[in-house]
Amino acid sequence: FVGEADDYLVVRLNNRVVLDGSANRPTGKKPARDYPYEHVQFPCAQGDSFDATAGDRIDIQILIGEQPGGNYNTYLMIEKEGVEFAKDGKGNPILPIFKLARSENNYTDGPQTAADASWSVWRGEKP
């Protein structure tokens, strides 16, 4: 996962924090690397890699939040190892948005994003 938030964005897979894209990193987890996308307040953090196979059941928890109030933004994208992505003007990969349903990417705020990929849209189930 790759993401950023003002103020909080934490992603856990199977009870393991794989991304803390929060402005102040409350989990203490440091990113594998940062992507300084245009139109984003803070660099987007690249999280830990993980294995996932179609049909596997993965428990995912995504925490987002704002404190103390005011403007809020968050971006959560997904990057697949071994895929060659187009680059933006700063040399950052143009990634698809992580989603639970297909949709058009027709917003203009935030980083430039790629179209949905077969691996970027996950099927969600209620716990």
Side-chain angles (χ1 to χ4, degrees), residues 70-84:
N71 293 333
Y72 174 75
N73 67 277
T74 189
Y75 308 99
L76 182 59
M77 299 166 288
I78 190 162
E79 182 175 19
K80 185 174 181 178
E81 289 181 357
V83 173
E84 190 65 34

Side-chain angles (χ1 to χ4, degrees), residues 24-82:
N24 62 1
R25 308 270 195 264
T27 68
K29 180 152 197 61
K30 299 202 184 314
R33 69 175 293 171
D34 284 320
Y35 293 124
Y37 288 101
E38 292 186 38
H39 312 293
V40 176
Q41 185 173 357
F42 303 104
C44 287
Q46 180 189 54
D48 294 345
S49 61
F50 59 91
D51 292 322
T53 303
D56 282 357
R57 187 176 202 107
I58 297 174
D59 180 35
I60 184 169
Q61 297 170 318
I62 301 172
L63 171 102
I64 59 172
E66 166 64 25
Q67 182 187 10
N71 293 333
Y72 174 75
N73 67 277
T74 189
Y75 308 99
L76 182 59
M77 299 166 288
I78 190 162
E79 182 175 19
K80 185 174 181 178
E81 289 181 357

Side-chain angles (χ1 to χ4, degrees), residues 33-38 85-95:
R33 69 175 293 171
D34 284 320
Y35 293 124
Y37 288 101
E38 292 186 38
F85 295 97
K87 307 284 190 220
D88 68 8
K90 290 186 164 187
N92 302 303
I94 299 173
L95 304 172

